[in-house]
Amino acid sequence: MIKASLKLASSFRNKMILIFFAITIVPFIVFAYYAYMKSIEGIQNANATFSMSYLQQAKANFETYLTQVNDRINDLIGNKSLQAWLDREPESQEEEEAFAVDMLALVYQHMPQVDALRVRVYPMRPSLYPNYMNTMGVSPQVEREAWFQASSESVVPTWHLTMPEQGLYGRPLLTYVKRFTGLNDRKPRGLVVTDLAEDHLRRFFSPSRRMEGQKFLIVGQDGTVLFDSNENEWTGRPVPSKRFMEISEKASEGAETLHMDGEEKLITYAKMNSEPWTVVSLTPLHAMTHPIKTMNNLLIVFLAIYLICSVGVVIYITMNFTQPVAKLVRLMRKLEKGEFDYKGPTSSREDEIGWLYRGFESMTRKIEALIDQTTLSERKKKELELQVLSHQINPHFLYNTLESIRWKAENHGRSDIGEMVSALGNLLRLSLNQGKDITTVGREVDQVKAYVQIEQARMGMPLRVLYFFDEDMLSLPFTRLLLQPLVENAIHHSIRDNFEKGKVILSGYVEERDIVIEIIDNGRGIPDSVLRQLDSEETDSKAGRRQGVGLRNVNERLKLYFGAGYKLSIETGAGMGTKITLRHPVLENEEPEEAGGIQNAN
């Protein structure tokens, strides 16, 4: 499965399709997603800023309202009649009934000023005022309830939440309980109990109609919801998010996106200054993102159309570009197998594909020409090798015969003949090189010296041949039979007519990775006809072959072995002599034998 997937992905056509989708569809999707996320983020930030501003204003108004309620309650507590009536407990039923009438009238008189659902004044011992308590619809045994006892013992006002099933009005009531004492002493007189209904709280915390599902909460210090603007859905229950409680404990206000009640909500909160409560705004994210749903639907439609158009473009590219390239690939595979006998591809297109087809056809024809040229070169190389091998017939017999001639010449007192025969033997030994193509620069120079010695003996006069070689290059590997033909050419065709003044200079050095050897003479130079025939394919005239065979042989061998960059460089002219530069690469992997001849066979 994996191999099949890799093979599928390696196809040029499939790569083009993948690249096309990568540079068109993927960036579009990424951009659309990025734009969508940034839109959501912008809407959240804007809504969080607006909600926080609204929450801060609503909190300030609510705290002002609570302060006003507390001030009106203090006015009621400061009433001298109320203080007097609660200064002592009733001694008879008639006094308790009179107390009830007077107290209820006083409370009803102050209720509009307090701006609350109900205001009630409880004596410290309600059980002693049964008629008064029953008239208010409260059991005289209320003093046994936990909230009453806690408020009776607290010097600071307390709050008490009454749930619907417990409330007189069938809805939750947030009750403010304040214990008060005498005006001139610290003796507790009673409790003022003020009930705030949800209508009073909704005046300050009302959700926007444009935000579906938005609600406001008032959360107590223990996490209990004291007020829920959405029909008291969570009133009396803990906030359904421990994460929110952890966050709200660390900061007095803030905005977070949390998962609550089964959906993501934007939560803004602010703690009140006068009470240990936290005012909270909850807005579902889907309500905020509703305005961009239409844009998202339009984006999806556009993406579908864009995808269809992209598929069409892919089909067009496949038919007009990748399939022609695939056809070329199949032809190239045939070419790899050596199948040249097929009809080449043709195309009249003027674009890059047409150029590719025509270039492939031209390349095929050039390959065929190069193969033919290589075959011809190999044939010429074999011919040159056969010429060299023709000189290797029974070398031991020749060496032994020459050695016998030298021995007899010396016995008859003809040392000059002996030296000439010895030089000839060395020349043959160095030329044959035990049948190997690679010798050393030193052995090639020794061969030249042996040849010069024979020429001097044959002509009966000295030849001025000078040698200048770096010592460290004499041991470098070198192709045999390259220098002697060039020196022979210089002696016989340049300085032959003036041996007294003529001279030949051989010098060698290493330049970068090449061995450079220069053969310079002060003779009459090389004729232009010979130079023109040096790189020609055929030599027609017999004179041309006689005069240029040495140069041609060396030049051809250098090109065959090392390439056209290593052919001979010749500078010549009438009256200026000749300078031949031979370049030979330094061979790393060859290990030629040290200088020394083949031992005579017995």
Side-chain angles (χ1 to χ4, degrees):
M1 183 66 182
I2 296 177
K3 291 183 178 179
S5 301
L6 292 176
K7 185 176 181 181
L8 184 64
S10 64
S11 170
F12 175 76
R13 177 175 57 189
N14 296 335
K15 286 182 179 179
M16 288 293 297
I17 295 174
L18 292 176
I19 291 174
F20 180 80
F21 277 97
I23 63 178
T24 55
I25 301 298
V26 173
F28 183 82
I29 295 176
V30 172
F31 175 76
Y33 177 76
Y34 178 79
Y36 175 78
M37 295 304 297
K38 284 298 180 181
S39 300
I40 296 297
E41 182 180 351
I43 293 174
Q44 289 181 1
N45 293 337
N47 191 76
T49 302
F50 173 78
S51 297
M52 182 59 68
S53 177
Y54 177 83
L55 208 60
Q56 291 284 4
Q57 185 62 42
K59 182 191 74 169
N61 295 337
F62 183 55
E63 289 186 330
T64 301
Y65 166 74
L66 294 180
T67 301
Q68 293 174 353
V69 170
N70 186 69
D71 292 342
R72 299 297 181 270
I73 292 174
N74 288 337
D75 293 341
L76 177 61
I77 292 173
N79 187 277
K80 294 182 179 180
S81 298
L82 182 143
Q83 292 284 337
W85 294 336
L86 294 174
D87 185 43
R88 63 183 183 87
E89 297 175 354
E91 297 180 354
S92 63
Q93 184 177 356
E94 290 76 9
E95 288 185 3
E96 192 264 334
E97 291 177 354
F99 169 84
V101 173
D102 295 337
M103 184 62 72
L104 290 174
L106 178 65
V107 171
Y108 291 151
Q109 182 182 355
H110 284 79
M111 187 177 296
Q113 300 176 3
V114 177
D115 188 17
L117 179 65
R118 288 188 306 173
V119 178
R120 292 164 291 175
V121 178
Y122 290 179
M124 293 303 297
R125 297 181 64 188
S127 59
L128 299 178
Y129 301 86
N131 292 323
Y132 172 65
M133 300 300 293
N134 291 329
T135 302
M136 291 189 298
V138 181
S139 172
Q141 305 301 322
V142 70
E143 60 184 286
R144 298 179 181 178
E145 296 183 9
W147 69 267
F148 188 94
Q149 295 178 2
S151 300
S152 299
E153 296 174 358
S154 176
V155 297
V156 297
T158 60
W159 289 88
H160 169 58
L161 177 63
T162 303
M163 294 305 296
E165 62 272 17
Q166 300 172 348
L168 180 63
Y169 295 91
R171 53 184 175 173
L173 298 176
L174 189 60
T175 304
Y176 179 63
V177 183
K178 185 173 185 179
R179 192 191 74 172
F180 63 93
T181 61
L183 297 178
N184 300 318
D185 56 42
R186 306 300 298 173
K187 179 181 178 182
R189 291 289 194 272
L191 304 176
V192 177
V193 180
T194 305
D195 293 330
L196 302 180
E198 59 187 58
D199 294 337
H200 295 83
L201 303 178
R202 192 174 283 112
R203 287 184 297 178
F204 305 99
F205 306 105
S206 179
S208 173
R209 294 181 179 179
R210 296 181 180 180
M211 291 295 181
E212 180 183 356
Q214 184 184 26
K215 68 165 63 178
F216 288 92
L217 305 177
I218 297 178
V219 181
Q221 189 174 11
D222 60 351
T224 302
V225 178
L226 303 178
F227 167 70
D228 183 350
S229 64
N230 185 22
E231 302 297 334
N232 294 303
E233 180 183 9
W234 293 350
T235 302
R237 296 162 50 188
V239 176
S241 176
K242 294 182 180 180
R243 177 60 180 164
F244 168 73
M245 295 305 299
E246 295 174 357
I247 294 174
S248 61
E249 289 177 358
K250 298 178 181 178
S252 60
E253 63 180 28
E256 293 287 341
T257 301
L258 298 176
H259 189 78
M260 184 180 294
D261 195 30
E263 61 181 346
E264 295 290 326
K265 296 179 182 291
L266 175 64
I267 302 176
T268 54
Y269 64 93
K271 292 185 178 181
M272 295 181 60
N273 298 324
S274 59
E275 300 294 341
W277 299 341
T278 302
V279 182
V280 184
S281 171
L282 302 178
T283 306
L285 290 184
H286 69 81
M288 293 185 293
T289 58
H290 179 73
I292 64 172
K293 286 184 177 180
T294 303
M295 184 181 69
N296 289 340
N297 294 334
L298 180 62
L299 184 64
I300 292 174
V301 173
F302 180 77
L303 180 61
I305 296 174
Y306 187 77
L307 183 61
I308 294 174
C309 294
S310 299
V311 172
V313 172
V314 169
I315 294 174
Y316 172 79
I317 292 176
T318 300
M319 297 295 295
N320 291 274
F321 294 95
T322 58
Q323 284 189 355
V325 172
K327 182 179 179 181
L328 278 180
V329 171
R330 291 193 295 269
L331 293 176
M332 289 178 66
R333 289 176 179 173
K334 290 184 178 180
L335 191 62
E336 288 178 354
K337 298 177 181 179
E339 299 178 10
F340 290 92
D341 53 344
Y342 60 86
K343 185 178 181 181
T346 58
S347 176
S348 60
R349 295 171 57 168
E350 295 298 329
D351 57 1
E352 288 79 358
I353 297 297
W355 300 343
L356 188 61
Y357 267 66
R358 289 187 288 273
F360 180 81
E361 176 67 17
S362 176
M363 180 188 67
T364 304
R365 301 287 79 82
K366 287 182 179 180
I367 291 175
E368 291 179 347
L370 288 173
I371 291 175
D372 294 339
Q373 184 178 356
T374 302
T375 303
L376 179 60
S377 298
E378 288 294 330
R379 186 181 302 114
K380 292 170 66 177
K381 181 179 178 181
K382 292 297 183 181
E383 291 175 357
L384 291 173
E385 290 176 351
L386 289 175
Q387 291 179 14
V388 175
L389 289 174
S390 65
H391 300 288
Q392 297 181 5
I393 302 173
N394 203 358
H396 291 289
F397 172 76
L398 293 177
Y399 295 153
N400 292 336
T401 301
L402 290 174
E403 186 66 19
S404 298
I405 295 173
R406 182 182 67 82
W407 178 76
K408 288 184 178 182
E410 290 180 353
N411 284 342
H412 287 80
R414 298 301 301 269
S415 60
D416 56 339
I417 298 176
E419 292 176 357
M420 185 176 179
V421 172
S422 178
L424 179 60
N426 288 334
L427 179 62
L428 288 174
R429 174 178 56 81
L430 295 171
S431 299
L432 296 176
N433 194 37
Q434 296 181 339
K436 297 180 180 179
D437 285 336
I438 302 300
T439 181
T440 64
V441 176
R443 289 168 65 93
E444 276 290 285
V445 174
D446 289 342
Q447 181 183 1
V448 171
K449 291 179 180 180
Y451 168 74
V452 172
Q453 184 178 358
I454 293 172
E455 287 295 316
Q456 288 178 346
R458 189 170 66 86
M459 296 180 182
M461 57 187 307
L463 298 175
R464 290 193 295 176
V465 181
L466 306 178
Y467 307 90
F468 301 94
F469 286 87
D470 295 340
E471 290 295 332
D472 54 354
M473 69 173 292
L474 295 177
S475 60
L476 295 177
F478 198 78
T479 305
R480 65 174 178 145
L481 293 177
L482 293 181
L483 297 185
Q484 186 272 332
L486 300 181
V487 175
E488 179 181 359
N489 185 80
I491 293 174
H492 286 279
H493 300 291
S494 289
I495 66 173
R496 183 180 182 87
D497 297 334
N498 191 6
F499 284 131
E500 294 180 356
K501 296 182 179 181
K503 61 181 178 180
V504 179
I505 300 175
L506 282 77
S507 62
Y509 56 90
V510 176
E511 182 179 77
E512 294 182 352
R513 299 301 300 166
D514 287 341
I515 299 172
V516 181
I517 297 178
E518 297 176 349
I519 299 95
I520 304 173
D521 65 69
N522 60 350
R524 60 186 179 181
I526 301 175
D528 292 339
S529 60
V530 176
L531 293 178
R532 285 194 299 268
Q533 295 173 2
L534 194 61
D535 291 325
S536 65
E537 294 295 332
E538 299 291 342
T539 302
D540 296 329
S541 66
K542 185 176 180 180
R545 287 196 302 270
R546 187 186 307 117
Q547 293 181 0
V549 65
L551 290 176
R552 184 180 177 86
N553 187 292
V554 173
N555 194 54
E556 289 294 325
R557 291 178 65 204
L558 285 173
K559 290 194 297 182
L560 285 173
Y561 291 154
F562 309 118
Y566 286 92
K567 66 179 182 178
L568 294 177
S569 175
I570 302 176
E571 301 176 16
T572 186
M576 62 175 288
T578 303
K579 177 182 177 181
I580 300 176
T581 302
L582 183 151
R583 304 185 73 90
H584 186 288
V586 176
L587 304 177
E588 299 290 346
N589 298 325
E590 300 291 343
E591 296 182 357
E593 304 220 355
E594 297 295 332
I598 301 174
Q599 300 298 324
N600 293 335
N602 295 323

